[in-house]
Amino acid sequence: MGDKANAHPGAAGRATTADHPASVRNVVLVGHSGSGKTTLVEALALTAGAVNRAGRVEDGGTVSDYDEIEHRQHRSVQLSLVSVEWGGYKINILDTPGYADFVGELRAGLRAADAALFVVSASDGVDGSTRMVWEECAAVGMPRAIVVTHLESARADFDDMTRICAEAFGADDPDAVLPLYLPLHGAPGPDGHAPVTGLTGLLSQKLFDYSSGERKEAEPGPDQLPGIEEARNRLIEGIIAESEDETLMDRYLGGEEIDFKTLVDDLERAVARGTFFPVLAAAPAAEGARQGLGTVELLELVTGGFPTPLEREAPGVTTVDGRPRELKLCDPDGPLVAEVVKTASDPYVGRVSLVRVFSGTLRPDETVHVSGHGLADRGHEDHDVDERIGALSAPFGKQQRPLTHCIAGDLACVAKLNRAETGDTLSAKDDPLLMEPWEMPDPLLPLAIQAHSKADEDKLSQGLGRLVAEDPTMRLEQNPDTHQVVLWCLGEAHADVALERLRNRYGVQVDVIPHRVSLRETFGGRSAGRGRHVKQSGGHGQFAICAIEVEPLPGGSGIEFVDKVVGGAVPRQFIPSVEKGVRAQAGKGVAAGYPLIDVRITLLDGKAHSVDSSDAAFQTAGALALREAAADAKIHLLEPVAEVTVLVGDDYVGSVMSDLSGRRGRVVGTEQASGGRTLVRAEVPEIEIGRYAVDLRSLSHGTARFDRKYARHEPMPPQIAERVREQAQSTP
């Protein structure tokens, strides 16, 4: 792998069109914010010859060009793709945001890739969210390797980081997380820190010196060999333990020297199967240098050790009516099945879709069928339309390099798919298919917004539609009770990006307003009311009188209307009118403007006029009767209560439970989960968990996640209810 002969880098600045899935590698970079993922992408591109020595692509710009939001916020907020060529292979490098608010972009990267590089900073260590992603990859058997960055830090210790990684990622088998190389240190500087200038290959026992700016191979001196013997023996034992040759361990323990090729072949198979996870080191090239430390070794690991798209089991596929469909694995000549893994808007070319092709070959100007995607609850409509494919390209910074086609196993950007959204399936128009969706995180932070001006109001609907089309982790809600427009986001940073995109990309200025929870009202006891609507204004007047009784019902009963009129006091044709008026008033509320629920309203008596009574008059009388009954009764405000489940590390269980209690929550149970975590179940008023997505992340240092679902409405404590009533009365 990394100890093979030097590979030949591809031509600089050239877009590579893969001709066979075996020549493609799709790798996603995973790591917390600030771990050095984007810097590593640039270093790999530089080494592969895709950029020049100044770190720039041939016709200007850098490989790490972000959109304007990323420049202003100094962090990556979206999935990006860089394609490079190395040794005859096309490598699609997917760089993901490290911040938890953009986990949807990370999930898209995992869907598009066949292997993952976990980037860990030597100065920061491994955080809880990175561990959780590792577990996600383990659950689906995705091959992984670990890259240690920031070795230039004064407190960086590669050996210590390798131990930390083994503890964090090798819970089942720490000997499956081992380094392939050891750092080679130069002379100590004035501060006593010895910089890393190269690597020592443990299998080949060769030195790879990067101090000149290019990788140079050398033989170690006799005094250097004993220092690597222990690490080398442990690596060989770890490789042999994963070997399919059951005699290999006995031969090794018997003193036989296992040849280099056998070890490398077994290592590559173990990495591709996802049973061995090598640790490597990498650092960007110094100014003017051509190769960054460890970048050659990484590229060789990706091409030699990571699986081809042919080795990945594709997600399930069905016909659009739900019948299972068997597909030959990653066949460029098979039926077209591709998936939109990311949607973005370009100010010049419009919508651009990043697509992973799982079967068949995608070509420009052909018509495909767009099927998707089951996210109607998030403001995304289902699709079942034909669309014409625009130009195909490979992104590189702000550039789009044209492609002639995109085969099964490869990735490409497609222009002007105006109806397709993230998660949609592209297939042949005469053979429409649908891919099994990947899991999307549920947005749990509400952001209530309103148009800043009348001009913004006219553009708001279109801007919001385009925003949620790009981001399936965002949910758009038009709340019928509070009449608020609510964007549900994953966190504060996610919300900030949404507002900035509305403002700068779609030209819509919005104001953030306090989010209102949908409360309800009910009667605290039996009450009666009389509605009298009598008006005379010349000609036909209006005459309707009705008497009602209201009594509370158990929770979940809704509104029950009962007719007990005797003797025709209210003519039969006007009884539905009374009910209609009562229900309309109940929908508007009788105390604080929230819908009335769980009551029985009984019509007892009334009066009518042979000429002046009408449907409208009795509707008005019914509403007046209900308001009068409410004026003489105790009205309870009901608040929605959510069932909340929190998955949290055992170290934070006490803090989480205490915090839930402080939110008027009731913990109803706990159960032990895998990986040293606990599942806490509680019932919490929704008014108390509006910002829980943010607060829980802070409380658990990013290691916990929660779900919520509506349970029921319950009476609100009197002091809080009184405050809500006062606010309702003061609101114009």
Side-chain angles (χ1 to χ4, degrees), residues 298-367:
L298 268 175
L299 290 167
E300 291 180 348
L301 168 68
V302 169
T303 55
F306 280 170
T308 73
L310 292 165
E311 299 169 72
R312 174 178 177 178
E313 184 175 345
V317 178
T318 66
T319 59
V320 291
D321 57 1
R323 289 178 286 112
R325 177 70 177 272
E326 290 291 333
L327 289 179
K328 185 178 178 182
L329 199 61
C330 201
D331 180 10
D333 297 321
L336 177 65
V337 180
E339 187 172 38
V340 179
V341 295
K342 177 179 172 56
T343 309
S345 292
D346 185 278
Y348 303 106
V349 300
R351 185 175 292 186
V352 178
S353 304
L354 177 60
V355 172
R356 161 82 190 243
V357 182
F358 287 91
S359 174
T361 298
L362 195 63
R363 292 182 172 84
D365 299 323
E366 68 178 344
T367 300

